[in-house]
Amino acid sequence: MRPLRILVCDDEPLATDRMTGLLGKLAEIETLGSCSSGEQLLEEMARLRPDLVLLDIEMPGLDGFDVVEAMSRREHDGFAPLVIFVTAHPEYAFEAFDSGAIDFLSKPVRLQRLERALARARTAIEQRESAR
């Protein structure tokens, strides 16, 4: 099984450090890097082509929902990474799933919950690839 390629986007350095630390404890994960803004994430996604984005919602400039909307407009060559929203604001859960996110994690993220979200993402990726 190939590693799940992940980009992390959060404007809070402590949250980014915590998430990349959790990801580092897991097998079959390749953390491609982290971004501190939605604009930076869109640039890095085009360059790195991750399988999955772990995305904060409340950020200056483009928020997480703006990023998802921009991703849908930029989709080409069948490239569309999955999104897991990671936020301290559980009131956004409905809107997150409505936007097409594969999962929604509340901060502080627990390792077991992250593992379940990543398993869900991996299953969705495998289904998408087998349908091609």
Side-chain angles (χ1 to χ4, degrees), residues 2 13-14 21 23-24 26 59 80 86 90 92-93 101 104-105 108 110 126-127:
R2 71 175 179 80
L14 289 175
L23 292 170
L26 302 174
M59 297 184 292
V86 183
Y92 290 125
F104 181 93
L105 300 175
R110 303 244 184 253
E126 290 169 358
Q127 290 172 346

Side-chain angles (χ1 to χ4, degrees), residues 30-65:
E30 181 181 353
T31 304
L32 301 176
S34 62
C35 304
S36 60
S37 71
E39 294 85 357
Q40 183 186 16
L41 176 64
L42 291 171
E43 290 173 16
E44 290 297 294
M45 282 188 331
R47 187 174 70 81
L48 297 173
R49 298 177 68 89
D51 299 312
L52 176 67
V53 174
L54 299 178
L55 179 59
D56 188 19
I57 292 177
E58 287 197 350
M59 297 184 292
L62 294 178
D63 69 19
F65 296 120

